[in-house]
Amino acid sequence: MNNDSLHVRTRRRRHNQPRGPSPSVAEPRRPLLLAVMSFVLAARACPVVQRISLLGSILTAKAIPKDIDVLVTIEGAMDLTALARAGRRLMGTAQTINLGADIFLADTTGCYLGRICHYRECHPRVLCRAQHCGRRDHLNDDLHIVTLSQKLIASPPVDLWPNVVRRLSVPVDVEKTLVSKLERDQ
């Protein structure tokens, strides 16, 4: 993913903050990929999920990605409850090894909607960065912090479901642990 595809506004890093991710396991890629597999199996059961794609640093040779990024294309008016539950499981698994997960949402017209909220119950919180917290259950519409380009939404690096599509060469562990298994399951 290049800088044009994903735009994140961040605060300035303080001098005493760590420089990179520090997972609690020596090799975090496999647990992240297995968690994505579980997410895909749960999310594809949601009737209005149209596509599930993989993005980000997990698709590079980086030994320690800071998180796992998934793009889910949905019908615009979808009830997000079941998808949010699966997303929170993915986020929780990543958090157990001190890493993160983002489930980005786009509609079928290619419009970026936001991310799955990491809170189980939607109601206004001080720490919530959604622009319209609670307007739509389980949607974190923090578009002022994170956005995805229409180009990335239209053509993500790897589609995992309903059909596996590789738009770039994927690392061996991603291929073996995730992509080839989903491809056999089509």
Side-chain angles (χ1 to χ4, degrees), residues 28-37 40 52-65 67-70 157-160 164-184:
R29 291 178 63 89
R30 182 167 171 76
L32 287 174
L33 292 168
L34 292 173
V36 170
M37 174 66 88
V40 170
I52 303 169
S53 305
L54 191 61
L55 318 169
S57 60
I58 196 74
L59 293 172
T60 68
K62 209 177 205 184
I64 302 176
D67 64 359
I68 193 90
D69 297 316
V70 179
V158 177
D159 287 343
L160 300 174
V164 171
V165 177
R166 297 166 193 83
R167 294 181 183 87
L168 53 71
S169 178
V170 298
V172 173
D173 62 338
V174 175
E175 182 67 37
K176 286 183 180 178
T177 307
L178 185 63
V179 178
S180 65
K181 289 180 180 179
L182 288 169
E183 198 166 41
R184 278 180 275 169

Side-chain angles (χ1 to χ4, degrees), residues 125-167:
R125 294 173 166 82
V126 173
L127 295 177
C128 183
R129 294 188 175 156
Q131 291 177 326
H132 305 101
C133 184
R135 182 180 290 174
R136 182 168 180 195
D137 285 348
H138 311 294
L139 177 64
N140 180 358
D141 62 345
D142 59 352
L143 308 180
H144 59 292
I145 296 173
V146 178
T147 59
L148 297 183
S149 72
Q150 286 186 329
K151 182 180 176 183
L152 179 62
I153 292 169
S155 187
V158 177
D159 287 343
L160 300 174
W161 185 86
N163 298 306
V164 171
V165 177
R166 297 166 193 83
R167 294 181 183 87

Side-chain angles (χ1 to χ4, degrees), residues 39-52 71-87 103-108 113 115-116 122 135-140 161:
F39 172 79
V40 170
L41 296 176
R44 72 183 186 185
C46 298
V48 288
V49 169
Q50 302 296 307
R51 183 179 69 182
I52 303 169
L71 170 63
V72 180
T73 304
I74 62 172
E75 289 182 13
M78 172 186 176
D79 176 9
L80 298 176
T81 303
L83 184 61
R85 186 178 306 116
I103 296 88
F104 300 104
L105 300 174
D107 66 17
T108 54
L113 303 173
R115 296 182 281 176
I116 290 289
C122 291
R135 182 180 290 174
R136 182 168 180 195
D137 285 348
H138 311 294
L139 177 64
N140 180 358
W161 185 86

